[in-house]
Amino acid sequence: MRELKVTDYSSKETDTSTMTLTLFDDGLPTGLVGDLSVIAANDDGDVKQLKYELADNRIIITPAAELPAGRYRLEVWLVNGAARAIYPSAGYLYFYVGYALNGVEGNMVKVISLTDLYQQMQKIADKAANDSVAGNFRIDDAGNLIYSTNTKETE
């Protein structure tokens, strides 16, 4: 059985964090002799051959530097002469490249304090009270907008 083991990996797009892959045949480390391909595919079916480096019989890749954010399946193909071995022999190695904040689409959310929020709401309530017929709206001490049919209502 061919296995593909990976170091813990978590990254966001454009990050240069590395992922280290090790190949095993029947539980024993595989010698990396021959032509090697590291292939990633996303859920849409897009396939990309990733760049890699070798170190101490391990494969080093930086997937987030080459792939946009998303979920991926990974295989390693090792071809030695007429023999081709695909790792893992069953299933895939799944990994995820997260979105970096600069890649998120949409509008930025303005951060305001509770005081700012209260002041904005007070302005809206004041305008509503000024625009109301015969002063039927008022603001109580807690800042609540109160509607009354009695224009002479007192607190």
Side-chain angles (χ1 to χ4, degrees):
M1 181 198 281
R2 291 182 299 277
E3 297 175 275
L4 173 59
K5 294 190 179 179
V6 63
T7 56
D8 285 341
Y9 180 75
S10 177
S11 190
K12 293 183 178 182
E13 59 189 343
T14 72
D15 190 350
T16 57
S17 298
T18 60
M19 178 190 290
T20 303
L21 308 170
T22 308
L23 307 180
F24 291 88
D25 280 299
D26 298 323
L28 301 173
T30 301
L32 301 178
V33 177
D35 294 324
L36 190 70
S37 297
V38 180
I39 302 167
N42 65 13
D43 290 338
D44 294 330
D46 298 324
V47 177
K48 178 170 175 81
Q49 187 167 332
L50 301 178
K51 298 173 189 168
Y52 65 88
E53 294 180 13
L54 298 177
D56 298 324
N57 208 40
R58 291 185 174 93
I59 303 162
I60 313 295
I61 59 174
T62 54
E66 295 187 62
L67 300 169
R71 184 179 150 202
Y72 293 90
R73 299 177 309 275
L74 188 88
E75 289 181 340
V76 175
W77 291 33
L78 183 59
V79 179
N80 190 356
R84 176 186 310 142
I86 301 174
Y87 296 82
S89 56
Y92 308 98
L93 171 75
Y94 288 91
F95 69 97
Y96 184 79
V97 175
Y99 288 93
L101 285 179
N102 64 349
V104 175
E105 294 182 15
N107 297 326
M108 294 296 286
V109 177
K110 182 179 178 184
V111 177
I112 62 171
S113 69
L114 288 176
T115 302
D116 292 338
L117 177 63
Y118 176 77
Q119 289 171 348
Q120 292 297 321
M121 295 302 292
Q122 187 69 44
K123 286 179 185 177
I124 293 168
D126 289 347
K127 182 171 180 359
N130 290 335
D131 292 346
S132 68
V133 177
N136 290 337
F137 290 92
R138 67 179 178 79
I139 308 296
D140 69 10
D141 292 335
N144 299 309
L145 181 63
I146 306 296
Y147 174 78
S148 172
T149 55
N150 178 0
T151 58
K152 296 183 180 182
E153 179 182 345
T154 59
E155 293 184 350

